[in-house]
Structure formats: structure tokens, C-alpha cells
Amino acid sequence: MPVSPQAYRPSRALAEVADFLADSVAPADFPQTVVRFRNDRAAGEIGLETLTDDEWADHLGRFRPLPDTLPGPLALRYHGHQFRQYNSDLGDGRGFTFAQMHGVDGRLLELGTKGSGQTPYSRFGDGRLTLKGGVREILATEMLEALNVPTSRTLSLIETGESLHRGDEPSPTRSAVMVRMSHGHIRIGSFQRLAFERDEENMRRLVAYVLRHFYAETSDDPVRLLTLVAERTATLAARYMAAGFVHGVLNSDNINVTGESFDYGPWRFAPSWDPEFTAAYFDQTGLYALARQPEAIQWDVMQLASSLRLIAESEPLIAALEGFATRYQTEIVTAILWRLGVTPREGTEDRALVQTFERALRASQAPIDRVYFDLFGGQVPDQYDETWNELRDLIEPYAPRRARDHDYWRGEPESMLIDEVEAIWAPIAERDDWSMLYDKVARVRAMGAALAAPDAAA
């Protein structure tokens, strides 16, 4: 058997709800499957690191079923608000879920695709992914994972040998199929579809499924589900902000009920602290700008509450919604202190420190990644001007969260700004040179090890 017998623990949990949640589909028949990126670190958590490249391409490019998991690909059905406009004509248009397994920590994981071909929800699309889009998703997920943001992980990128025409990049361009690994692909939009169809029975089934498989709870209480989703998504919003990350398209069909970030299109990391910084050229009103992301995610969670009104009373749902703001205020402090590399003091000092830091970061317009690098461990360098004096005084009593003993601290800060993303893509496009991508992934992972707790970095 090609999978690791020690770590591979397959599941078919999705079959419990597939009858109303998904459609069976077939993958595209690609002209070629050339493995360009395989995330063996992630694969080791689910027992797939033992696959040869040929087996990898067979299972993650041709989608021959993995042993004892889902018998075939499933394209999920959902609705959603897109830039606050309701759309009932959605669903997995160029992807599907094709495998489930339990990770080394016991949690359920799923393998889903992007660029795997047309489905009943493709509308006028070709169901494909550009190779550049896949490279960008690798870079986004690797950076976010290193920065402690809950995210899907890019498991695989395989070039597929087709020429694609796109309006937002030079065409024809190369094609690929990507596999992401996450703890689930059920969106707020999955619940919106059931509410739209007034399907009480299956709404209850989906609530119970999510609580059981994603939250390890035996409850089937929709209020409990909303409480947990509000908490998880508030944490996500706070960590986006601490990372200076802008997702770009925080529609309700892009918000996973596990609280993991996923589906990276026009993402950006902000160079400096600009609340109005946007990632998508089509976000002309700044709906999903950097500083508006917490409100945008909370708005999406409100749509989950509205959907759950089909099977629950309003008052307890409203009470559960209120937990988002409370959790966010706690989590933004925790996230920024983590990034600054200091140990919380469990008092009002923490919030004051974070507020002062945010003011200095905005006033100085200093590079975000450079500031976090220089201040890690709680020391404001002497060359920082008077803008930082108040922070210098407030941070002095804080103990370092970990020592600056990793080799990373002897170099330069890692960033993932758009110019660097383009620079990494250029040699791939021009001469099929992937070395810059692989080197960047290695350096980002080194940063993640330097930021993590010592036992996690070992």
C-alpha cells in the first residue's frame, strides 16, 4: 500500500451528509501531470509522505481514490453573499473534496482541489486554475501558517499541460491543479442554501455533522454551533490583523465554519499600516480593506445566525453573536503580543501596549515586517525615533516569549509583498526555474520556527 500504515487514518464522514450537501463529479482528464510542489511536512500528518512522485500525481493529479476514504470526488453546493449581494447560483465550480482522514492530532482533515475541472456549478467557467494562481496560493498559505494564522495548507501543485486564457494575466498561460488540506470545506454559504430552501431537516443534520466532526461535540444545538463559529472566526480576524494580511474576498461562501482561512485569490500583505489598504482591484468601495476585515467577517457570521433562525429562536442566536466582538478584543491583543514576542501580563497593560503599538505603527508608516522583526522579544531599537518612545516605556517590563536564538534573527525579516510574489513567478514563467519558490518556502518555514514556541519549533 503506498500510504503510510502508521499515520494513514482514512474517514468517510462526509458521506453522512453528501446526499444533500454535494454532487458526485469526475475530475478533468489532463494532458500531463508534472509534480511542481509537494508539501511533505503536511503530508506526513496524514500518512501520504510515503507516496512516490508517480503515486502522488496519480492520487493528487488524476484523483485515483485513496484507500478506504471517499469513493469519488464531491462538489459542494452552497449559496452566499458576494460583496453583500445574495447569490443562489454558487457551488464548487472548479474544485471538489475527494478524501478525508484523521491527522496525527486526531482531528478530521479533508483534501480539496482547485482547478480540477468543470462541475455542475462552473457556470461559464472552464474549471481550471492557472499555474501562477497555484504558486500564489502556496506563498499565501506558507506565510500565514508561519504567522500563526489558521489557514488551509497547500498540499500539492501539479502542472497539467493546458493553455488557459484569462483577462487578469498574460494569456495563454500555464495550467495546474492544486490540492489543499484543511479541517473542512463547509462554508457559511452551505447553511445559507439550506435556509433559502427552507430545508429544516437537513439544516439540523448539517449542524450535528459540523459539531461532531469539526468541534468534537455531541450536541446538535444550532446556538452552540454559532457560538463556536463566532469564536473561531473572531480569532481568524484578529490574526489577519496582526499579520497585516488582506484576504481580498471575504464573502460568506469564503468563510469556513471551522474558522480557517482558505481560497486565496487577490490576497495581499500590507507594506505598512494603512487601514484602507485593499487586495482586490475590483473592491472599489474598500469593503474588504485591511481595517474592515473584522467587521466583514462578523457580518458573514451574522448571515449564519440568520440562516440558523430556521431551526432556532432569535434571542439566543443574538446572544451568541455578541461573543464575536468580545472574543475579537481578546484575540487581537493575544495575536499582536505573540507577534511581538512578549509574554502577556494578564492585565490592562496588555491592551494599552497593543493600542500604543498600533498608533506608532500607523504614525510611522514603517514596514510592518521590519517592525515586528526588530521589536521581537520586547526591545525597541535605539534607532527608532520619538514616535516609538511611549511604546518603548510600556514594553520594557515585558518578558520575552522566547529567545532570539534561531538563525532567522541573524538575517533579514521575511515578507510576502506583491513585488516579491511577482519576482518569484518571473523565473518560473520565463525559464521554468522554480528555485526561488522553493528557497522562499524554506525561508518562510524558518521564520515560522523562529516565531513558534521552542517545543513547536524543535
Side-chain angles (χ1 to χ4, degrees), residues 16 33 46 49 83 125 196 211 221 301 305 379 435 445 457:
E16 297 173 17
T33 50
I46 53 174
E49 80 285 2
F83 287 84
F196 182 88
L211 284 170
D221 180 5
V301 177
Q379 298 296 318
S435 60
R445 290 182 178 182

Side-chain angles (χ1 to χ4, degrees), residues 167-292:
D168 56 353
E169 61 179 278
S171 295
T173 189
R174 294 152 72 178
S175 61
V177 63
M178 188 198 79
V179 174
R180 72 167 65 96
M181 184 173 87
S182 69
H183 289 107
H185 290 86
I186 294 175
R187 303 149 165 84
I188 287 175
S190 308
F191 290 86
Q192 288 182 280
R193 183 182 70 85
L194 295 175
F196 182 88
E197 297 176 352
R198 308 300 297 173
D199 190 345
E200 293 186 32
E201 177 186 354
N202 288 326
M203 181 73 84
R204 294 182 191 279
R205 288 175 62 192
L206 188 57
V207 167
Y209 174 85
V210 171
L211 284 170
R212 177 184 174 191
H213 292 292
F214 300 151
Y215 288 98
E217 297 203 0
T218 57
S219 168
D220 60 359
D221 180 5
V223 176
R224 178 61 179 161
L225 175 63
L226 181 62
T227 300
L228 292 168
V229 173
E231 291 174 352
R232 289 274 185 92
T233 53
T235 298
L236 173 64
R239 295 189 187 180
Y240 273 175
M241 300 302 288
F245 178 74
V246 183
H247 183 281
V249 189
L250 292 175
N251 297 331
S252 61
D253 59 303
N254 282 341
I255 302 297
N256 194 326
V257 294
T258 63
E260 288 174 295
S261 178
F262 79 120
D263 201 12
Y264 300 98
W267 60 269
R268 294 283 191 279
F269 282 88
S272 59
W273 193 258
D274 176 4
E276 298 178 359
F277 181 82
T278 58
Y281 68 88
F282 48 81
D283 186 5
Q284 297 175 352
T285 66
L287 181 63
Y288 299 141
L290 173 62
R292 296 185 69 183

Side-chain angles (χ1 to χ4, degrees), residues 60-194:
L60 279 70
R62 299 292 180 188
F63 301 103
R64 183 165 66 86
L66 288 159
D68 303 316
T69 182
L70 301 176
L74 295 169
L76 300 185
R77 310 167 186 167
Y78 45 85
H79 292 179
H81 278 87
Q82 299 188 308
F83 287 84
R84 303 286 166 89
Q85 299 297 313
Y86 193 78
N87 190 345
S88 60
D89 190 21
L90 296 176
D92 283 340
R94 56 172 175 168
F96 49 64
T97 301
F98 69 95
Q100 291 181 300
M101 55 277 293
H102 291 278
V104 291
D105 62 357
R107 291 183 66 190
L108 184 67
L109 287 160
E110 292 182 352
L111 303 186
T113 66
K114 193 172 185 178
S116 50
Q118 292 180 313
T119 77
Y121 308 105
S122 298
R123 293 176 282 174
F124 301 106
D126 59 14
R128 267 56 172 182
L129 171 70
T130 67
L131 185 64
K132 183 178 183 180
V135 168
R136 284 172 44 82
E137 188 133 350
I138 292 169
L139 293 171
T141 55
E142 289 286 339
M143 191 70 174
L144 289 173
E145 181 185 356
L147 294 177
N148 202 33
V149 177
T151 180
S152 63
R153 297 160 75 184
T154 306
L155 182 67
S156 170
L157 184 68
I158 292 176
E159 188 167 0
T160 54
E162 296 177 315
S163 294
L164 303 179
H165 291 269
R166 295 290 187 268
D168 56 353
E169 61 179 278
S171 295
T173 189
R174 294 152 72 178
S175 61
V177 63
M178 188 198 79
V179 174
R180 72 167 65 96
M181 184 173 87
S182 69
H183 289 107
H185 290 86
I186 294 175
R187 303 149 165 84
I188 287 175
S190 308
F191 290 86
Q192 288 182 280
R193 183 182 70 85
L194 295 175

Side-chain angles (χ1 to χ4, degrees), residues 285-363:
T285 66
L287 181 63
Y288 299 141
L290 173 62
R292 296 185 69 183
Q293 290 184 117
E295 182 271 335
I297 294 174
Q298 184 179 32
W299 191 91
D300 289 327
V301 177
M302 290 170 62
Q303 308 320 301
L304 176 60
S306 179
S307 300
L308 293 173
R309 181 66 184 82
L310 182 67
I311 58 171
E313 296 298 322
S314 296
E315 287 190 10
L317 291 171
I318 292 170
L321 271 178
E322 292 172 353
F324 183 98
T326 302
R327 175 58 69 97
Y328 177 79
Q329 293 302 323
T330 299
E331 291 293 334
I332 189 62
V333 171
T334 300
I336 289 180
L337 293 183
W338 181 89
R339 189 86 191 270
L340 286 170
V342 296
T343 303
R345 301 185 72 195
E346 307 297 338
T348 57
E349 299 96 334
D350 291 349
R351 187 167 302 281
L353 177 67
V354 166
Q355 291 171 342
T356 302
F357 172 74
E358 290 177 336
R359 286 196 300 269
L361 193 61
R362 184 173 182 177

